[in-house]
Amino acid sequence: MVIIGVDPGSSYTGYGIINKDGNHLSHIASGVIKTDTKRDFPARLKAIYDGLTKVIKEFSPDECSIENIFYCKNVKSALKLGHARGVVMVAVANAGIKACEYTPTEIKQAVAGYGMAPKEQVQSMVKMILNIKDIASLDTSDALAAAICHANSVDFKRLVDAAGVDQR
């Protein structure tokens, strides 16, 4: 199963693509969709959509893991992040890909074993789990961490769904 993880942002949207073969995870590709902060906000959202659509077409992921918002100090930043997440969800939905959302705490817990782990620790664990030497940015490692989180959760989620358990 090919999984794309996405760390949405209005300036930098990280993506990471991994392959899950049984219990083995391997890195396929990763990077950042960078928007021009001098452009108007709708143009930046379009750049995120276009960039992610191109990545999805190139790698044909089966499922998507998106980092969810759980806390933001600045309301304006939270709204911009919400717009970026919406664009990501539309790109994924238009490609017919199932998307699952995880909070940053859930992702950190799944990758580093501690929900409050610093981004640098998460990046170190991602490198170790996927056996890669370098990761371009923290946005990229966060996206790969989201993909790893989903890879480690997907089998359990399917069992719960098949059992008809209400997860609310």
Side-chain angles (χ1 to χ4, degrees), residues 96-135:
I97 300 169
K98 178 182 177 182
C100 293
E101 300 175 78
Y102 299 91
T103 66
T105 303
E106 290 171 321
I107 294 169
K108 290 175 180 183
Q109 178 72 35
V111 173
Y114 175 56
M116 300 304 289
K119 286 180 173 281
E120 294 78 13
Q121 183 180 0
V122 171
Q123 186 177 61
S124 293
M125 292 302 296
V126 167
K127 287 181 191 177
M128 189 169 64
I129 292 166
L130 297 176
N131 193 29
I132 52 179
K133 294 197 186 303
D134 195 30
I135 298 176

Side-chain angles (χ1 to χ4, degrees), residues 44-165:
R44 291 170 63 194
L45 292 175
K46 183 179 182 322
I48 294 167
Y49 179 85
D50 291 346
L52 190 58
T53 299
K54 181 179 176 184
V55 170
I56 289 169
K57 283 181 181 173
E58 181 176 351
F59 295 101
S60 302
D62 301 302
E63 296 192 8
C64 178
S65 175
I66 303 172
E67 186 172 294
N68 200 346
I69 304 170
F70 79 113
Y71 176 75
C72 207
K73 293 178 185 175
N74 182 316
V75 173
K76 190 173 179 180
S77 296
L79 287 171
K80 285 186 175 184
L81 181 56
H83 284 82
R85 286 185 75 252
V87 165
V88 168
M89 288 182 194
V90 170
V92 169
N94 281 344
I97 300 169
K98 178 182 177 182
C100 293
E101 300 175 78
Y102 299 91
T103 66
T105 303
E106 290 171 321
I107 294 169
K108 290 175 180 183
Q109 178 72 35
V111 173
Y114 175 56
M116 300 304 289
K119 286 180 173 281
E120 294 78 13
Q121 183 180 0
V122 171
Q123 186 177 61
S124 293
M125 292 302 296
V126 167
K127 287 181 191 177
M128 189 169 64
I129 292 166
L130 297 176
N131 193 29
I132 52 179
K133 294 197 186 303
D134 195 30
I135 298 176
S137 70
L138 292 174
D139 298 301
T140 304
S141 60
D142 283 353
L144 286 166
I148 293 167
C149 177
H150 183 65
N152 291 335
S153 304
V154 68
D155 295 332
F156 178 74
K157 282 180 170 281
R158 286 194 178 126
L159 288 171
V160 169
D161 289 346
V165 177

